[in-house]
Amino acid sequence: MQWKIPLSDIDFGPEEGQAVNDILQSKWLTMGAVTQKFEQAFAAYVGAKHAIAVTNATAALHLACVAAGLGPGDEAIVPSLTFVATANAIRYTGATPVFADIVGEQDLNISCHSIEKAITKRTRAILVMHYGGYACDMPSILELAREHDLIVIEDAAHAIGSELAGRKLGTWGELGCFSFFPNKNITTGEGGMLVTNDDEYAQRLRSLRSHGMTTLTWDRHKGHAWSYDVVGLGYNYRIDEIRSALGAAQLKKLVVNNERRRQLTQIYREALQELVPQVSIPFVHHAGISAAHLMPVLLPTGSDKLSFIENLKGQGIQTSFHYPPVHTFTAFRSNRNGGALPVTEAVAEREVTLPLYPTLPERDVLLVARAIADALHRS
Ligand SMILES: Cc1ncc(COP(=O)(O)O)c(C=O)c1O
């Protein structure tokens, strides 16, 4: 399908081409000096002591759950309105995801009150997900976690560059996980990053990323080591130099591109104002500075979302849906933990995600807004 206005787009230029070409010329492809530089640049940008690059955010979330010590018999609280990876990461360890509801129409993030209700003797961790790059209520969640001695892991896949109270998202909890999938605010194709301020976690994560080995091929190539020990069960979640070079080039554009995303979000909000309150626009007065990863809107209650999406598709406008709630998936039905998630279910029925990316022209934002008004009048 050739979209007139796609859902997302990538800001690649000659810089990325040059960065990848340099790696190909160097003939050192796996994790090495370029990855170390990318990690240092990312850590400095988000204000974390350590950044550990991995194959993707799912691997980052998995390693975070392993490092947090999750295992069979444990529970971890997670929103259902997230990508399935957040919950899968818990299941990989044998622990059980327990789903919490979201705050409401204005704030699609996990609710602290709902987390509190879900805590049991088995709860070990809380995984939050900053929907669309908008901050969860981290001060309240951290306080709750402290009271119950729980580890907080942030799924910051949407939140590269987001801030709350002057502190970057991903650095509030013990461990933060970022995604560089092609629709994210920076991309390496597949790719992800873990951040932490804790030296022990960092050391553990570096080891888990590469089979629990004590040295890397890179260390041996540099003559710093000639053998290795294996100190635990680890994985191959290593990133490669090509992706790290892409990531480093993309990181340089992030500040400008996130600002552009916020401007476009504002233009959307103004253009859609005539449809409010039938159409609801989440996060309008939200705390913090968002990476504005997504532009979600909630259609009027009872509207036919499918025909709305088809209508926009007919005009060449791609939309999406974030997310089918995880607790409703076949693979998670036994995890329903008895509790209904009424706010999540009501919001998910109405949510549609509009095109948003830094290179989206303003006139296309206005065109999408007009198309939405027409589609709603027709349905
Ligand atoms: C909220 C969220 N968590 C986790 C992931 C998983 O990221 P990755 O594709 O890098 O594994 C994604 C990716 O789409 C996501 O949106």
Side-chain angles (χ1 to χ4, degrees):
M1 172 98 194
Q2 200 49 40
W3 298 102
K4 200 156 93 187
I5 308 178
L7 184 68
S8 65
D9 197 15
I10 296 171
D11 181 13
F12 273 176
E15 319 71 76
E16 282 81 4
Q18 186 62 52
V20 168
N21 205 31
D22 289 347
I23 300 297
L24 300 183
Q25 300 296 321
S26 81
K27 296 193 179 173
W28 188 268
L29 301 185
T30 189
M31 222 169 58
V34 176
T35 298
Q36 282 170 6
K37 276 207 184 122
F38 178 38
E39 290 177 338
Q40 283 158 10
F42 198 90
Y45 173 68
V46 300
K49 195 164 173 197
H50 305 279
I52 297 120
V54 288
T55 41
N56 53 58
T58 308
L61 287 160
H62 180 200
L63 292 191
C65 289
V66 173
L70 290 184
D74 294 336
E75 291 176 356
I77 299 170
V78 63
S80 176
L81 198 67
T82 184
F83 184 55
V84 66
T86 330
N88 274 346
I90 300 165
R91 288 183 75 183
Y92 296 153
T93 67
T96 304
V98 175
F99 296 105
D101 214 343
I102 57 168
V103 178
E105 270 191 30
Q106 259 307 299
D107 183 349
L108 312 189
N109 283 320
I110 193 165
S111 136
C112 197
H113 175 65
S114 182
I115 295 174
E116 191 166 14
K117 282 202 306 189
I119 294 173
T120 69
K121 283 203 299 276
R122 292 167 174 255
T123 311
R124 295 282 168 271
I126 303 168
L127 276 78
V128 301
M129 194 281 280
H130 304 291
Y131 186 110
Y134 295 90
C136 295
D137 180 1
M138 294 313 292
S140 306
I141 292 169
L142 290 194
E143 195 181 316
L144 187 65
R146 255 192 305 273
E147 277 168 25
H148 295 268
D149 196 19
L150 305 175
I151 293 168
V152 175
I153 297 170
E154 294 176 74
D155 180 340
H158 296 183
I160 315 172
S162 295
E163 290 180 30
L164 180 64
R167 186 164 155 195
K168 290 277 191 307
L169 299 187
T171 66
W172 283 76
E174 275 84 352
L175 297 149
C177 306
F178 295 87
S179 172
F180 306 137
F181 190 72
N183 61 8
K184 298 301 188 283
N185 289 32
I186 67 176
T187 186
T188 60
E190 298 284 351
M193 191 74 83
L194 273 150
V195 299
T196 183
N197 285 320
D198 184 291
D199 296 344
E200 272 175 43
Y201 273 134
Q203 195 186 2
R204 182 100 205 283
L205 291 166
R206 288 184 194 287
S207 167
L208 285 166
R209 168 177 65 176
S210 193
H211 295 291
M213 290 161 70
T214 50
T215 69
L216 296 171
T217 313
W218 175 247
D219 301 317
R220 295 189 290 282
H221 173 71
K222 298 296 281 180
H224 297 155
W226 64 273
S227 185
Y228 56 86
D229 188 15
V230 172
V231 293
L233 176 64
Y235 307 86
N236 178 357
Y237 285 166
R238 293 186 302 266
I239 199 165
D240 58 64
E241 296 286 83
I242 299 169
R243 284 158 216 236
S244 292
L246 273 175
Q250 286 269 285
L251 188 58
K252 291 188 184 142
K253 300 176 175 176
L254 181 67
V255 171
V256 169
N257 280 348
N258 277 359
E259 184 53 38
R260 183 68 187 146
R261 284 173 175 275
R262 285 190 288 273
Q263 284 167 358
L264 293 168
T265 300
Q266 196 47 38
I267 295 168
Y268 260 126
R269 286 174 179 165
E270 283 161 21
L272 292 169
Q273 197 51 42
E274 57 169 309
L275 302 174
V276 174
Q278 283 77 20
V279 169
S280 184
I281 308 174
F283 300 114
V284 171
H285 301 293
H286 206 72
I289 302 172
S290 174
H293 172 58
L294 297 178
M295 179 64 217
V297 292
L298 308 185
L299 300 185
T301 310
S303 4
D304 181 349
K305 186 154 87 170
L306 207 66
S307 74
F308 175 87
I309 288 173
E310 279 298 320
N311 190 315
L312 263 62
K313 182 178 165 190
Q315 301 177 59
I317 300 167
Q318 186 184 17
T319 57
S320 182
F321 169 24
H322 292 84
Y323 290 94
V326 179
H327 74 281
T328 63
F329 289 139
T330 307
F332 284 84
R333 291 234 168 101
S334 60
N335 282 67
R336 265 179 180 254
N337 52 279
L341 302 171
V343 190
T344 296
E345 286 170 21
V347 160
E349 247 179 57
R350 296 171 57 200
E351 196 275 337
V352 174
T353 305
L354 308 180
L356 182 61
Y357 43 93
T359 53
L360 178 67
E362 202 174 312
R363 65 171 185 280
D364 283 357
V365 171
L366 302 178
L367 206 144
V368 174
R370 232 177 358 260
I372 291 173
D374 287 350
L376 289 175
H377 285 140
R378 236 172 272 155
S379 64

